[in-house]
Each structure stands twice: as structure tokens, then as C-alpha cells.
Amino acid sequence: MHAFRSHTCGQLRKTDVGETAKLSGWVHRKREHANALFIDLRDHYGISQIVVYPNEAFYESAKRCPSESVITVTGEVLARDAEAVNTELDTGEVELRAQTFLIESQADPLPLPVFGEQEYPEEIRLKHRYLDLRRETLHNNIILRGQVINSLRSRMIAQGFTEFQTPILTASSPEGARDFLVPSRLNPGKFYALPQAPQQFKQLLMVAGFDRYFQIAPCFRDEDARADRSPGEFYQLDVEMSFVTQEDVFQAIEPVMAGVFEEFANGRKVETPFPRIPYKESMAKYGSDKPDLRIPFELTDVSEFFTDESKTGFGIFAKITNGGGKVIAIPAPGATDSQSRKFFDSLDKWAKKEMQAPGLGYARLRKEDGAVVSQDPALKNFDPELLKALLDKMGLGAGDGVFFSAGKKAAAYKLAGAARNKVAKELGLIPEGVFKFCWVIDYPMYEWDEDNNTIDFSHNPFSMPQAPEGKSAMDVLLEADTDEKKLDILAYQYDIVCNGVELSSGAIRNHKADVMYKAFEIAGYGPEVVEDKFAGMINAFKFGAPPHGGIAPGVDRIVMLLAGTETIRDVILFPMNGNAQDLMMNAPAEVDQSALKELNIKTVAPIPKD
RNA sequence: GCGGGUGUAGCUCAGUUGGUUAGAGCGCUGGCCUGUCACGCCAGAGGCCGCGGGUUCGAGUCCCGUCACUCGCGCCA
């Protein structure tokens, strides 16, 4: 018989009754009864019940064996009596009567109980990740992750893509995030950067004629964490294709995404085809370029209703709208009927505290003398006809509520978009069990940089500017002789979004060197910047570059959506905490002076705050 | 960098307007129980109330500071 097991803990069935079996695993739970000790023995595959009778020499040792110790048990497979069958377990019709009992590895008292679905503090979970990973939910999430990646790979390969491995030690890449730097021993004073994405490499692969590239690519960005953004590193399904239009990229990727989501949906619906929403429309309707389409209501620009203070009796919004600002209405269907005043006040408080906004106005709508009115400040003194027009435009009536986000255009929409998500969540208006995707398209090429009062790239500087029939991208750039015209230029730049989670950006790339120089010139960068920062790529484009484009959906976020978890850490094996520290491995850490000396590096004390 | 929340037993939490010896459940230890499977019953151990300062006759509770974790803003095209 094998040294450790003849079967796994999830394997034994009624057909094995009478056989001698050997199982190894972790002591999951113990139950001592008057005349028998029951042990739930767990491994990766399942749980089997071990029964130990008091006449066995090892009874005391088994009884004292701490939870999560690893043991090996040999014994006879017994059928359970009908009333003793556990229908919850696949192995519940049988049990193993222990005849030998060996503790392979005894466990100390646990900092983190494995049994049960109790929530535990992040700090302890991360420090003892190997224990947390034994727990069912996390264990299953990680298995799911492996299956999803496998599915993505096969779907890409089936479409004629080839997987490539691009360098990890490379030069600073053009993505715009902070780089992780790696000092070079052989080149004193110089540094590699870890790739923020294999962007230039995949474009170079197109120049090299490989036509269809993909990679489950590790990416490194030194930016602060969020619930859906792991600090430091993440994986994306990096894709690039030659001789394609934007539509070709959509046709290639949409079936992959829809397919993998359907494969692991587990009863949840995936709506296809994915709607396409222009960026401008997305901002207007949802206040965001990552709209959650599950939410059954949209934003409305109601600025025009608030401009005349003599008709609204509400000076603040009049001042804002007359000063070029916006008032954006967020409906709260049924909230006046279903919620107390506290609900409305708490959203205002949330806007002030969490969003660091001036506030969120609200109005509760009730029927009085046949008309729908509100006694809350924003609408209280409204001209009746104007109020009716406002409510008609938004389709609101008695029993509903409405919130108002007011301020400069960008800030007003940003708060409104966040409020739309918040209101829908609190009112329980986000349906579970459905994945609603969309493509957000037609991103602007440039945006106004408020801080520096200049025009800058709004997204990826390597996107191809859109040009109408008969005109070239170069024509479009040359004709944009005012800031206004420059800001109107659209790019072949797109995002794919699912349930309000941004899965990926992508673009048809700018493969023409002259157009690239011109595009950078508009954003205020001379040719030397292009040549210095993006040397590898721009030089390659001078030797015959195919038109190409691609996309890079985030693997962690895909798994997160499929696993239904709130934080991205729940689909990552060994995540770092919010301060980008690995509490288990103790990283980052100081290193020996000798190592620094070899790298020609001296550290200095951190500059004290003020 | 900024803001919110949290911090009480190994873990999840309760702890009233400041008032005697800070509690419960889970876990742990010991005992009991003829079959449990979140077993049940009895008993026990376990606390710098995050840390530092202050107010007060008296602080888990109030004030100031600080640290940690977390959520968000900035940042991440």
C-alpha cells in the first residue's frame, strides 16, 4: 500500500465498503462521543469521516490530536446505518474505521481557524495565508482562477493566437503609472523597470510579423491599492492583432469574454451582444466610463431648470448653473416611500465625507392636492409648471426621491456617477445573477489638464486618432488648430466593462511615425521625448509597421466577478496589503549593506514630513 | 498626500448618562455522554480595553496626539 494514501478524502463510496483504505489529510473537526471519536479528515478533494473506537491503543493520541494536524489513517471502509448517513457529503454513506493512526505533523494552536465561514481580519489572513487558503471559499476561488486562465488560453489559441513571453526586466514603459525600478549591477547607476504592461513589446511583435499575440502577462505598477486594485502587480490577458479595425478586435474578444463568463457563470446570465456606448454618452447617462448597466436608472442633466432663481427659490444651484456649472439629477425610485429621512441625509453625509464633495442635495416627492411636490429645500419653492417639467423629464413621481449633484461639470458628474451606484446598492436595485457587459468607445484623444492649463493625452498616447472617410489621421491632427478642435478629436480607444468593473482598455494603435510625432506635438512633447521614451517602438515603425490594435482584460478582475468576491485579494494567492507589504514573507525588507554596495546604491533616511 | 470607518479574550462581538470584580458566542483545556457530523451537557483557563498623554475623586466610555488595519479621494491613460 502507498506510504500515505490509497484514496483521497473525497473518493470513498459505498462500493468501497469492506476494503482497506489509507487516507491522509488535515484534522478538520473532531467530535468525541461516549463510545467513539469522530474525525472529519480533509484534503484538497473532500472530507471523509474517520471513526476511532476507545479500545484502540491510539485512542488517546487521536483524541488529543489538535485541529489542522496532518495525519495518516488506515482502516476498513464501513457502510453507515441509514440514519447515520450524511447527505451533505459525497462520502457521507461510508466511514473509515481507524486501525492505524499516525500524526505526520502536529499543529500548534491556530491563529486563524480553518473550519467555518467566519470572517477574519485581513492582517491575520494575510500573515497566515496558507491557513486562509485551506478554507473552502478561498481554496475554491484559487482553483477557479486556474480554470479561468486555462479557458482563456484555450479560447485564444483556438482563434489562432500564439502565446509569447515578453521581458520582465525592461525599460520604463509608457503607461503613465509609477515604475518599479531594479538596479543594474553591471551598469552602475542605471535601472531596469518592471513592465507596467508589455505594451511596446506586443506592438513590436506585430512589427515582427507575428500577427496574433496573446499572453497571460504579469504587470507591475507602483500605485496605491483599492478594493479592486491589488498594489504592485496584477495579470492581464494581453492581446494584440495585426491588420485589424476596432470592429475586428471586438469580434475576436467578445466571444472569448462571453464564452469564459458563460462557462463559469454557474446559473448567472451573460447578456450578448455587448452594447457599445460612446464615452460622451456614458459620462452623461452614468457619470462614469465604467457604467454598471444592471442599475435600472440613469442620470439627467437638469441644469436648465435651476438657472432662474425667481422660479426656483434656490440660490445655490442658480449660482452654480449661471457660473457654467452643472446640476445632475440622480433618481432614487420609490425611495420617498421606502426610506426614512435618514437615508437621504446619510447619502449627503457620504458625499461630504467619502467623496470629499460639497454635498448631495435631495428632494422627496409626495402628492399634495393632486400635484407632485417636495418640501425639501431644492424643490420646495419651485414654480409649479417648472417643477412638473423637471419631474416629467426625469420620469419621477410621488413616492420617488431624487438627489442633485451640483458643481463644475467634471466634479458634478463624478459625484453623480458614484451616487448612482451608491443609491442603487442601498435601495437593493442591482440585480444579482447577471453579467452586463458593454464596450465604451470613442474616447477623446486629448483632455484639458486643469492643473497645468494644457492639453494632454487623455488615455493611451499610442492610440490612432479617428478620421472621417476620405481623411487621414494626419489630416485630422493638422486641421485641429484650436484647443477646442484638439479636444474634439476622438481616438480608436475603447474599454470593456462588466457590471461597473473596468476589465480592460484597448486601442487601435498609431503605427505611423509621422502621425505619432504630430500627436505628441499637440500634447506639448517634442520629437526628442518620443525618441527618448519610446525608442524601441518608434524606430521599429520606420521599417514597415502593420496597422494593429489590441486589448488587455484584467485576469484578476475577471475571476473576481466570477467568484463573486468584494475584494481582489480573495482571488489572489498571496496578496499584499494596502500598504504594498507582504506580511507573510516580510517584504519589502531592508537588505545587507554588501548587496547595496555591489549595486552601487546608498540609502538615505526618509525625508521627514514637514 | 487627504478624508471616513474600525481597534475590548486566540477569533466574532456586546459593554447605557463616566461609577464596584469588563461580559457572551466560537475556539482552547479538563470531565461527562451508545453514532456524532456546526453533536450535546458540566467545569476551567484566558484581558496593558491598540499605544501615549490629558480632564476627573473615578476613564473601555470624554478630550488631544499617535499607530495599525480597512474603505474612499488623489493616483492608476
Side-chain angles (χ1 to χ4, degrees), chain A residues 36 52-53 55 81 84 108 141 196 225 237 256 269 290-291 303 307 331 340 344 433 535 578 603 606:
Chain A
V52 184
Y53 289 107
N55 59 344
D81 291 343
D108 281 347
N141 286 353
Q196 295 178 30
L237 171 64
V256 173
K269 262 191 226 157
K290 43 178 183 172
S303 308
T307 50
S340 66
F344 291 88
T603 57

Side-chain angles (χ1 to χ4, degrees), chain A residues 375-418:
Chain A
Q375 294 308 315
D376 295 305
L379 300 182
K380 187 176 179 180
N381 297 313
F382 247 63
D383 172 84
E385 277 186 27
L386 192 63
L387 179 59
K388 187 171 185 311
L390 170 68
L391 296 181
D392 284 351
K393 181 166 182 182
M394 288 189 298
L396 293 175
D400 292 329
V402 56
F403 290 91
F404 298 105
S405 168
K408 284 186 187 171
K409 186 176 174 183
Y413 271 112
K414 185 175 181 60
L415 175 61

Side-chain angles (χ1 to χ4, degrees), chain A residues 137-151:
Chain A
T137 306
L138 203 48
H139 204 86
N140 288 343
N141 286 353
I142 298 302
I143 294 168
L144 173 67
R145 184 187 174 104
Q147 292 169 335
V148 166
I149 288 174
N150 184 42
S151 174

